[in-house]
Amino acid sequence: MGGVSARERRESVIRAAIAEFAIAGYRGTTTAAIAERVGVTQPYLFRLFPDKKAIFVAALVRSAEDTRLAFERAADGVEGGERARQAMADAYSQLISTYPETLLMQMQGYVTVAQGDDLIGEVVRAGWMSIWEAVHLSLGADAEKTASFFACGMLGNTLTAIGLPVSAGR
């Protein structure tokens, strides 16, 4: 990766980490696998990140950020709560069908929290709240509509994760 800046390399590591952690989780993913996927040595990886947990945190933050941005971009300039809801639902469906590792990474974060990791819990909760807030504001700050949106989204997440089409929930 000659001529690539440290910032670009860091971004490549985060994307590779999302792909690796999405498949094998925090405990099952090695830094060697991440380094190999991005084409760097492990020592270089640790020049960019202090440890494996820092890489996992960066991957979780990016995954939540990608989701939040998909919702915000979809709803930007859309008038009416129902149109915004549909635009965000369509954008999310596109995101997880194109980049399923985004959803799977978030799920791996939930698993890690359930296993008692307090730092990861803070990161996952902050990411989830940023997503909630983006959707909530786009739906006119209506708590019931926001909760309904996420309930339908959770069904879609579950169906996607187990390999069924989202239409199977209808």
Side-chain angles (χ1 to χ4, degrees), residues 67-135:
T67 303
R68 178 186 54 78
L69 287 171
F71 288 140
E72 288 177 350
R73 289 177 183 138
D76 187 36
V78 176
E79 296 295 325
E82 180 55 30
R83 283 199 289 249
R85 186 202 63 75
Q86 189 59 55
M88 288 187 296
D90 291 347
Y92 184 68
S93 180
Q94 178 66 34
L95 175 68
I96 65 173
S97 66
T98 305
Y99 302 104
E101 63 273 14
T102 302
L103 167 60
L104 297 175
M105 180 69 217
Q106 289 176 29
M107 289 181 158
Q108 292 292 356
Y110 303 156
V111 168
T112 307
V113 173
Q115 294 170 338
D117 191 304
D118 292 336
L119 170 64
I120 300 302
E122 290 175 26
V123 171
V124 168
R125 285 185 290 276
W128 197 89
M129 290 306 299
S130 74
I131 294 167
W132 170 275
E133 188 67 18
V135 170

Side-chain angles (χ1 to χ4, degrees), residues 24-66:
Y26 179 70
R27 292 184 180 163
T29 299
T30 65
T31 55
I34 296 168
E36 183 178 326
R37 181 180 280 264
V38 81
V40 299
T41 63
Q42 278 185 290
Y44 186 83
L45 194 73
F46 291 118
R47 285 176 41 203
L48 299 172
F49 296 91
D51 56 25
K52 179 178 164 180
K53 186 174 269 190
I55 300 169
F56 190 69
V57 165
L60 284 168
V61 168
R62 179 57 46 76
S63 177
E65 189 175 272
D66 288 347

Side-chain angles (χ1 to χ4, degrees), residues 5-24:
S5 72
R7 183 171 176 246
E8 292 169 320
R9 186 73 52 94
R10 183 178 169 83
E11 178 63 25
S12 295
V13 169
I14 292 169
R15 294 292 176 195
I18 289 171
E20 292 293 330
F21 287 128
I23 296 165

